[in-house]
Amino acid sequence: MSRTTPPAAPPPAAPPRRILVVEDDPTVAEVVTGYLTRAGYVTEHVADGWAALDRAASFRPHLVVLDLMLPGLDGLEVCRRLRGAPTTAPAPPPVPVVMLTARGDAPDRILGLELGADDYVTKPFSPRELVLRIGSVLRRAEAAPPAATPAPPVQAGDLTAEPAARHAVRAGRPLALTSREFDLLLFLMRNPGRVFAREELLHQVWGWEFGDLSTVTVHVRRLREKIEDDPAAPRLIVTVWGAGYRFDPADGTGGDDRTGDDGRPDPAPPTPTGTPETPRP
């Protein structure tokens, strides 16, 4: 008489991810937390910046949904402090942040990305799209990193980028680049002579599945200001009309038709602004 082997027990389900929603508009907060709860997340909600920092320390969220315009302490300062919070060794990666912005907040949106925000959603937004973006950010954050191998420096003309140190120089002069500007420069230096549309740069440089294409335009313009002899007539990062951007390190002719890859003029880079901080009682 044969014995039947009992089926193997299924692996334990992963615990639900915790998400902290920082939003002072009660209607928006209710909609966001409702959709996230139905999607299987555990949510907490706070309505001001100081409470966000306190709750983040105790709730230990896997991701923070952060409105920019908050009472007490604005979203940019909350993001800065979340990214700069001291950690114990071994230091965990910083908590991912998805920002909620108004349509006219382009300067603050760019500054938020430079402070380390992982994505942003513009109001008014689709709650379903927000849930999809949060899932995408969490997948990127939780993906197993590849085995650590020292990446060699990348050189193109008089530009040198050192991936391990995240440091770049031109003609021996250090370049003051933000994290996202360095990522963009390194990617372009590794792919000289190839044209990339803004959609490709969003995905391949920063891993975004969604995003405002003007983010790429602004970062390209800021990078040009730091590596070009004449940013108004760029010769290294060249715009290819109707197609995208190309890195030409050795071609001294370069040239740029001053239009974006959608055929429209590149907008002037915005000046970052922030909301003054209110002293904590």
Side-chain angles (χ1 to χ4, degrees), residues 22-37:
V22 187
E23 171 60 64
D24 62 329
D25 186 321
T27 301
V28 174
E30 181 180 2
V31 170
V32 171
T33 55
Y35 269 80
L36 290 173
T37 300

Side-chain angles (χ1 to χ4, degrees), residues 2-276:
S2 62
R3 294 183 178 180
T4 302
T5 303
R17 297 296 178 253
R18 300 180 300 275
I19 298 182
L20 178 62
V21 178
V22 187
E23 171 60 64
D24 62 329
D25 186 321
T27 301
V28 174
E30 181 180 2
V31 170
V32 171
T33 55
Y35 269 80
L36 290 173
T37 300
R38 287 192 290 273
Y41 298 106
V42 175
T43 63
E44 288 275 354
H45 167 243
V46 296
D48 68 78
W50 289 118
L53 295 176
D54 291 340
R55 196 69 188 99
S58 57
F59 184 53
R60 299 179 63 82
H62 294 91
L63 183 141
V64 176
V65 178
L66 180 62
D67 186 28
L68 276 183
M69 303 301 294
L70 294 170
L73 196 69
D74 70 18
L76 291 175
E77 184 59 26
V78 172
C79 183
R80 181 182 288 111
R81 296 192 185 199
L82 286 174
R83 290 295 179 169
T87 57
T88 56
V95 59
V97 174
V98 175
M99 284 190 161
L100 302 180
T101 72
R103 289 194 180 277
D105 287 341
D108 287 342
R109 182 173 67 234
I110 298 300
L111 181 55
L113 293 174
E114 292 181 349
L115 290 174
D118 297 87
D119 202 351
Y120 64 88
V121 177
T122 303
K123 296 179 180 178
F125 57 85
S126 162
R128 292 181 179 179
E129 180 184 348
L130 175 62
V131 172
L132 289 174
R133 291 198 184 198
I134 287 171
S136 175
V137 171
L138 285 172
R139 285 193 297 273
R140 294 201 307 266
E142 295 171 357
T149 55
V154 180
Q155 183 141 10
D158 60 358
L159 276 170
T160 302
E162 300 181 22
R166 296 189 63 80
H167 174 72
V169 297
R170 185 183 182 201
R173 177 176 59 86
L175 299 174
L177 303 178
T178 68
S179 176
R180 294 185 187 279
E181 289 168 353
F182 179 83
D183 290 339
L184 178 59
L185 176 62
L186 182 62
F187 179 83
L188 292 174
M189 290 176 65
R190 283 173 168 169
N191 296 277
R194 179 178 169 185
V195 178
F196 292 95
R198 289 185 294 179
E199 295 90 342
E200 293 179 291
L201 293 175
L202 271 178
H203 179 68
Q204 296 190 41
V205 178
W206 302 306
W208 291 12
E209 297 177 17
F210 307 91
D212 186 346
L213 297 182
S214 65
T215 300
V216 177
T217 304
V218 172
H219 279 86
V220 167
R221 291 178 67 86
R222 290 189 172 184
L223 187 55
R224 281 169 168 167
E225 291 172 357
K226 298 178 180 181
I227 70 171
E228 298 280 1
D229 292 327
D230 182 2
R235 295 175 177 270
L236 296 173
I237 303 177
V238 179
T239 299
V240 179
W241 188 87
Y245 299 105
R246 185 183 67 237
F247 183 67
D248 289 341
D251 184 359
T253 60
D256 188 12
D257 57 12
R258 307 307 301 143
T259 62
D261 56 356
D262 57 358
R264 295 178 297 178
D266 286 343
T271 302
T273 60
T275 304

